[in-house]
Amino acid sequence: KSRWTLIVDNETTALDVKTILSQQLTLSPDYIKLVVKGKTPRDEAVLSKAYVVDGARPLVMMMMRTAEYHEDKTALDAIQNVAQEVSQLEREHMGLAAPTPKDMLALEEMLTRCTLKLDDVETNGKANLRFVRKAQVKRIHSVSAKAKQREVDRKVSGPSTDGGEGGGEEA
């Protein structure tokens, strides 16, 4: 179980909180159910007006996953497995002091394979699953872009060539 502390203003709705949590969890807000004081607020409910008395205490909420989440769990687990694989690839690549072109090629190949695994996840037309899958595809593109930028930066700041052997004049 995880805990989050959210600082929100007096106009924050239940949907706003679900959206913030969805970004942390990489889930669609539709998969999140909030429970406040034993009740489930509607998405448009302004939490401070409905549940806070004089703003004296923090509002404690419980987040649950909806029944729809549980229906889609197999697909979500497949997407989560790809997300973990991408994180591992990113850690390994960033751990390299000076990645070689071969390392870059291997990373790109593995990221492509991860994208293909995501393509195999059936969404059955469900917007929530498409949302989660799309977020992971964007993450893969981000990891790839960071790796490419790192390669460019390494080449720009790499060792300068001063002529090396045979570059000087002979006497």
Side-chain angles (χ1 to χ4, degrees):
K1 296 189 177 196
S2 300
R3 292 189 141 210
W4 293 277
T5 300
L6 305 176
I7 299 173
V8 295
D9 62 33
N10 289 335
E11 298 303 314
T12 301
T13 65
L15 181 59
D16 295 334
V17 171
K18 287 168 59 173
T19 300
I20 292 168
L21 290 173
S22 75
Q23 293 167 350
Q24 294 292 317
L25 299 167
T26 318
L27 282 177
S28 166
D30 295 332
Y31 284 132
I32 297 173
K33 176 181 178 182
L34 294 179
V35 179
V36 183
K37 295 185 178 182
K39 298 178 182 174
T40 302
R42 292 192 333 247
D43 283 349
E44 63 275 3
V46 177
L47 297 176
S48 65
K49 293 178 183 171
Y51 297 99
V52 178
V53 179
D54 298 327
R57 292 185 299 156
L59 183 61
V60 177
M61 292 179 261
M62 182 170 63
M63 184 209 77
M64 300 171 63
R65 290 181 173 94
T66 63
E68 187 177 1
Y69 169 84
H70 294 289
E71 291 170 10
D72 298 343
K73 187 160 179 10
T74 302
L76 290 168
D77 286 346
I79 294 168
Q80 184 62 34
N81 289 340
V82 171
Q84 290 172 348
E85 187 176 343
V86 170
S87 293
Q88 180 65 29
L89 289 168
E90 182 178 29
R91 278 191 303 275
E92 288 172 3
H93 184 77
M94 296 310 277
L96 297 174
T100 65
K102 185 177 177 181
D103 294 329
M104 285 295 298
L105 191 59
L107 176 66
E108 286 299 320
E109 173 68 21
M110 295 307 292
L111 291 175
T112 299
R113 289 180 186 194
C114 288
T115 302
L116 292 173
K117 288 178 186 177
L118 289 174
D119 286 345
D120 287 341
V121 174
E122 288 295 327
T123 62
N124 298 318
K126 293 185 176 183
N128 295 336
L129 284 174
R130 286 195 317 268
F131 172 86
V132 176
R133 186 174 67 180
K134 185 175 182 178
Q136 287 308 313
V137 169
K138 286 181 179 181
R139 175 136 164 45
I140 289 170
H141 291 164
S142 172
V143 169
S144 176
K146 277 196 277 185
K148 288 175 184 173
Q149 185 59 51
R150 185 174 181 221
E151 178 70 8
V152 168
D153 293 346
R154 187 183 65 79
K155 286 180 181 177
V156 168
S157 65
S160 60
T161 55
D162 58 7
E165 290 182 30
E169 293 185 34
E170 293 184 15

